[in-house]
Amino acid sequence: KATVSVLYWFYNMLLLAALALATLPPPGPHTDIMKEHFFMSLPAGNGSHRVDVYYPYDLENGPYPVISFAHGMLAGGPTGRPVYKTIIAEIVAMGAIVVAPESCILAYCNEFYRDQLAVIDAVRNTSLSKAFQNADLNNVGVFGHSMGGQATEQSAGTQHATRYNIKAAAALHPVSSPVWGAQITIPIMYTTGNLDVQAPAAEVKAAYDATRTPHGMGTLYANLRGANHYEPCNLGEGRLDRYVAYFFACHLQSNQDACSWVAPAKLCSAYDFVACEAK
């Protein structure tokens, strides 16, 4: 009987694992990812700062949309640089060029969005990275975590979105305000968790509620049960990382398969959410 019980338990564990895997979209096709960097003067960072560029090896199959990433407080520089490698790899694998400035490395920066936008302008200088020769600046995205999530909300506002051709954004456990949310009219994905004390879910929800993106365009709010502030980076579980990648593929590349994965009916059944909705 003991043997049967152990086998039954093992079978159930395998079944649960299979079900869990079944809810996750397949990884993107661009598995070989290249990385370069350059230095430039950044307006908020005050001085010369490193900008990392991540892109698919098969550049000839581009052009690829450009997505500007803003890191969290104390998560820039050589110590913080590896923290976001998984989510960046997921996004690049779907076919994108990610530019990631290191700014305000040792302090909180309320104007980080200026650096997030400045590196989009830098992509026009094709001598900075060979990836920029195959960059699609008509389809631009922005995303960020924590302090960088705040920057993303500010960058995604209508004025900046229009100027920089920003078509989609993802604010991951952001320091939020409905004031910034009210300026947003493009699709944006908000992620948070009920264990996040640094950027409480209630504040993220208020920003989501304030967004003015037309209904049906895919703006999302996902409050993941058991997720703390570090969920989107390598210090957390990164359960929604691939969905963020699919969100950008949907809105920047019109990838209909990706759109089906981030539709509320599928996304909101993938994990145990405190709240998950779209408008």
Side-chain angles (χ1 to χ4, degrees):
K1 289 183 178 179
T3 302
V4 172
S5 296
V6 170
L7 290 174
Y8 182 73
W9 175 87
F10 185 70
Y11 168 78
N12 280 327
M13 291 302 100
L14 288 176
L15 181 61
L16 288 172
L19 289 172
L21 288 173
T23 65
L24 191 65
H30 304 276
T31 54
D32 292 330
I33 296 172
M34 307 299 290
K35 180 182 177 183
E36 299 176 357
H37 71 270
F38 61 90
F39 290 86
M40 66 176 287
S41 179
L42 295 175
N46 189 22
S48 181
H49 288 264
R50 174 171 168 148
V51 180
D52 288 323
V53 184
Y54 304 83
Y55 58 92
Y57 175 80
D58 53 334
L59 277 174
E60 68 278 4
N61 292 326
Y64 296 107
V66 173
I67 304 177
S68 181
F69 172 66
H71 60 74
M73 180 179 171
L74 304 181
T79 302
R81 197 176 299 136
V83 170
Y84 300 106
K85 63 181 182 181
T86 300
I87 190 168
I88 289 174
E90 292 280 10
I91 291 172
V92 175
M94 290 300 293
I97 297 169
V98 172
V99 286
E102 295 178 351
S103 178
C104 309
I105 294 172
L106 299 177
Y108 198 92
C109 182
N110 280 309
E111 295 192 339
F112 192 3
Y113 74 94
R114 296 173 62 200
D115 295 347
Q116 188 177 34
L117 296 173
V119 296
I120 297 172
D121 270 335
V123 175
R124 302 182 190 282
N125 183 352
T126 56
S127 67
L128 293 174
S129 169
K130 67 178 182 180
F132 295 169
Q133 299 175 22
N134 292 75
D136 179 5
L137 283 168
N138 292 315
N139 291 286
V140 175
V142 289
F143 78 112
H145 170 235
S146 190
M147 175 181 76
Q150 172 187 323
T152 294
E153 284 185 287
Q154 293 168 299
S155 293
T158 301
Q159 177 183 357
H160 301 309
T162 300
R163 177 183 172 187
Y164 292 91
N165 293 320
I166 298 171
K167 305 291 178 61
L172 314 176
H173 295 245
V175 176
S176 296
S177 168
V179 174
W180 303 320
Q183 304 301 313
I184 297 172
T185 57
I186 61 171
I188 181 169
M189 181 177 185
Y190 283 96
T191 70
T192 185
N194 66 316
L195 299 184
D196 192 331
V197 295
Q198 291 93 331
E203 296 178 6
V204 178
K205 181 61 161 58
Y208 163 80
D209 288 339
T211 59
R212 296 185 296 111
T213 308
H215 285 268
M217 283 189 63
T219 288
L220 298 169
Y221 171 77
N223 181 349
L224 188 59
R225 191 179 304 279
N228 63 24
H229 192 60
Y230 304 103
E231 173 71 23
C233 59
N234 287 6
L235 301 175
E237 296 183 45
R239 284 168 284 183
L240 296 180
D241 288 1
R242 192 167 296 170
Y243 289 94
V244 173
Y246 269 60
F247 180 82
F248 281 120
C250 172
H251 294 288
L252 300 183
Q253 302 175 56
S254 299
N255 182 323
Q256 294 307 305
D257 181 60
C259 291
S260 71
W261 278 100
V262 294
K266 185 169 284 189
L267 170 64
C268 296
S269 63
Y271 293 106
D272 182 15
F273 292 97
V274 176
C276 184
E277 61 182 81
K279 66 175 184 176

